[in-house]
Amino acid sequence: MPDPASSSRTDLSAETANDRLKREYWCFISYRHADNKEPGRQWATWLHQTLETYEVPADLVGTKNQRGDVIPERIFPVFRDEEELPADASLSTPIEAALQNSRFLVVLCSPNAVRSTFVADEILRFKQLGKQDRILAAILYGEPTMATNMERECFPRPLRHAIDENGQLIEKLAEPIAADFRLHDGGQGWTSPAAYRDVLKAARMPDKAANEQVNVYMRQQNLMLLKIVAGVLGVPLGVLTARDKAYQIEKQKQRAKVLRRWLTAVSGLAVAALIAGVLAVRNANEAKAQRDQVTAKSHELSDTLGIAYFREGSARLKERRTALEGLAYLSRAVREHAHATSARRLLTFMQQRDVWICEEVGAVPAPPAPPAKEEEKIAVPAFVTPPPPNPENKEPGKFDRVVKGPNGLVAVSWCEDVESDEGSNHAGAGLHHFRVWDAAGKPLCDWIKADAEADFWVGNINRMVFSPDGTWLAVGVERWRQPEYLQIWDFRRGRQVGETLVATGRHPNYQGAVFTAVSFTPEKQNEQGRSCTFLAGSSRGDAYWLSITRPQNPEDEAYTNQVAVVPHHAAVRAMQLLPGTEETFVTASDDAEVWFTPAPGNLQGAGVPVLKFEQPVDSIQASTEGGVMLQAGDKFHHAIKVPAQALAGKAEPRARLSAYTEEEDTQVNVSRKLTGEPETVFQGSMNTKILNVRAQEEPTGISVDRADGVVSAFVLQDGKARLVANGMGSDIVLDPEHGAHQQTLRGLVADLRAVGRGDAVVALTRHFEYQVFDLASGKPLAKPLDESAFFTEEHAADQLEAAMLSPDRSTLLTRSLHWEPPNGSLNWTMLWDCASGEPLTDRLFRWDSNLEEPDMTHEPHLDDTNANVEGLLLHRAKPELYPVLAELGEALSGLKLNAAGELRPVKQSRAQVQELVQKIVQMTR
């Protein structure tokens, strides 16, 4: 096959300079030449050749993509400066012409590219041509940190930021589509498998392990290449990967067909009957073999499609904003390809997460009332007197805002500018006070200064909002070129309650950020005193849910607790707190999204999926049926919650297994307790000093941290301890007493546990990655399972509590924890698919503060009341359940994935969902 780059040069030699300037390209590759020099890492050359030689699947050619464009047979030609430019002194004119004539820009991203002015200019110019939505990023190495770490930053500045109508870069961040070509450790990958293999061998990695690691990376590289191709062709990645696989299978079938025709022709020319008979038998056998091969390939293709939809669906489930789309992908994998793992993931999702379904109801009998106004402006009452004059100010102050509150309360703000040698716009300029009077004109407080820090100038008090009973007053303070301040005041005592809120969020409009909505709920009595809820929404996207408590002792100060912050991607438009035993914060934003956020104690899994509408929701009102009425434009929608408990299994009490040892002792004691006195399971010596010991059930075993730095796993049976694994550093030895297989982990070993029937071992690294090995052969039973990817600042584990492997070795359950002395622990349960390395459940959280023995507070337990872990581990959805599961997944999501890979809306019905839930409950009993 000729080199496409060489053919490009040959074609160009016959072209005139004017022809080259008019030539149209599918892609323009923008890169730093330093990223195209190292042997085995000539990224621009590799991508140029690979794109131009990529054969688009035949059933896609000529069809229209999601943009309405016709899909081509090839992505040809592709522009790259080293290949396309003549050797003249001026490169500006050819590059400008190529940018204008290219449909897509592919940026090779690295710290080198960030330092290149040419790459930055090419990206900016491409955006100025109105093609900012046709830029694709290929990450070679470094990190897309959005300028938080410039040493590692790989996205050039014009790639990170959007442009305004004048074509100038602004602070608003862009979200480029990126394909990640890095190695699993974040280092630079390879375009040549041979070069990568040589590096691994030079590091003394065994041949088998090196070949496996190279193959894993090459599969990742091909997937990332398809991501770029999918962006250029305008088709979903999941569809393209499946079509690409199908196309390769079809090519094999065509080659087999040509072979059969050739054999038939040869047999026709044979004259000998015996030879003809032999050929006939051979052809018949080959035809049968070909049919069997086609059947096997068809099954393989179906499995491939099922896996592709499962991976895409699992990825989308991890984000609340795309979770409903993930349900649609999993549903198609179950319905069309009978994908068992997708069926399990659908079922566990429905057991863990609440979902709100939405029915359009049109005109409602009682339309939601418009939101109450935050304040009512009135004239300054006669009894209001200004504060004493400030002799330092040359200009007199003025009344700025008058607000009427409940029970005749009146709040008045006073503003005066501060004159100084720096003028009125120096930092902190502007003095702003407020005061409250009752209905009889009696002042309830002195003039209170709304103290707001500012880098430039404090504007004015731009809002004052009373709580329904007049106890609290929210005061908003404008700051020039900075976000608005918001303070809650116990004005009768002259004290601010809690911390000052700042209008924050993901939207980049920092300077003009304000609070778009502020409200209180009525007070109610609780154990601590009287409390109410405070809600505030920011133009940058954050919605705040705070509780304010007034203690029963009048001498104690009031305080606030932050219940939740909802991170919208656009300005908050409407808010409502749904009452009931399980309060839910419902928020709507300008991007037509509605988020449902339950109180943290009621939070299920990774969060309630987000609803999306055609128009932004302007009004949110609780309905009489326990749901919520949403007004979007001229349409009304009734949203009802489908609780996760509808399909959840019942938890059963489990025995607790505890192990302990004295510090630097050799003796280990293990006991089991369900009720009454504990039962001794094991007492014995480990023949070495022990720092720590952990115990677990199924199989009954212990994990020991030895004083010499070795971690050991034992199975306890018949009062004896059988050693199954040792680990130190990043190396582990499996079954050291019988055969001894050695494995190297991708991190330092932190824990080892026997699982299954004692015939497998789970190894946990210090960066919280699990690896599962067969004890007899030493071979991995699962892909590495990375729990740290799900860590947050508040939800990071520091030790393994327990691990369980299903009898068929397809599924691993892990329980991690963070110990909170003296007798509390944060616990997280996850279920993993060993074949794919993907989670089969959300990361289920539980807080345990009822541990009995103070000296054993860190010991493991599996008596989880949130979920039946055995049920999650052992349950398999029967094939006859698949159609109902798929239908329920689509009914809950309101979306259906068609054969073309397009998500289409489907009508949601509460009655249909209830019927399907009942069917599944009956079929799983």
Side-chain angles (χ1 to χ4, degrees), residues 885-905:
L885 264 180
E887 188 177 357
L888 179 56
E890 291 165 349
L892 289 174
S893 68
L895 297 168
K896 185 172 184 177
L897 186 69
N898 62 22
E902 302 165 328
L903 288 168
R904 297 298 186 190

Side-chain angles (χ1 to χ4, degrees), residues 705-735:
D705 296 334
R706 293 171 23 181
D708 58 4
V710 175
V711 180
S712 300
F714 295 86
V715 172
L716 305 180
Q717 190 173 12
D718 299 329
K720 297 181 180 180
R722 175 171 62 90
L723 178 64
V724 294
N726 283 328
M728 187 173 185
S730 59
D731 296 323
I732 62 172
V733 178
L734 303 169
D735 199 10

Side-chain angles (χ1 to χ4, degrees), residues 80-207:
R80 179 166 62 91
D81 60 0
E82 287 185 349
E83 295 295 339
E84 297 291 351
L85 293 185
D88 57 16
S90 175
L91 304 181
S92 59
T93 300
I95 286 181
E96 170 69 21
L99 286 169
Q100 291 183 6
N101 298 334
S102 295
R103 300 191 185 193
F104 288 87
L105 179 71
V106 180
V107 184
L108 304 190
C109 299
S110 69
N112 278 333
V114 172
R115 294 187 287 269
S116 170
T117 57
F118 292 103
V119 172
D121 291 344
E122 288 166 356
I123 299 171
L124 179 59
R125 182 57 184 147
F126 199 78
K127 288 189 173 185
Q128 291 171 343
L129 292 170
K131 296 184 281 189
Q132 58 267 25
D133 59 339
R134 295 194 169 210
I135 299 178
L136 307 170
I139 302 176
L140 306 186
Y141 62 99
E143 297 289 340
T145 68
M146 291 304 174
T148 59
N149 182 353
M150 291 308 299
E151 292 185 1
R152 294 285 298 161
E153 178 61 61
C154 66
F155 279 1
R157 185 169 183 268
L159 186 63
R160 300 195 302 265
H161 293 272
I163 62 172
D164 59 17
E165 61 274 8
N166 298 320
Q168 300 302 310
L169 292 175
I170 58 177
E171 290 302 315
K172 179 180 179 181
L173 295 177
E175 296 183 0
I177 298 174
D180 192 348
F181 289 92
R182 297 174 297 177
L183 299 174
H184 67 83
D185 60 359
Q188 185 177 180
W190 298 85
T191 60
S192 165
Y196 186 22
R197 189 177 291 106
D198 290 343
V199 170
L200 295 177
K201 289 183 178 180
R204 298 184 177 180
M205 180 177 286
D207 289 349

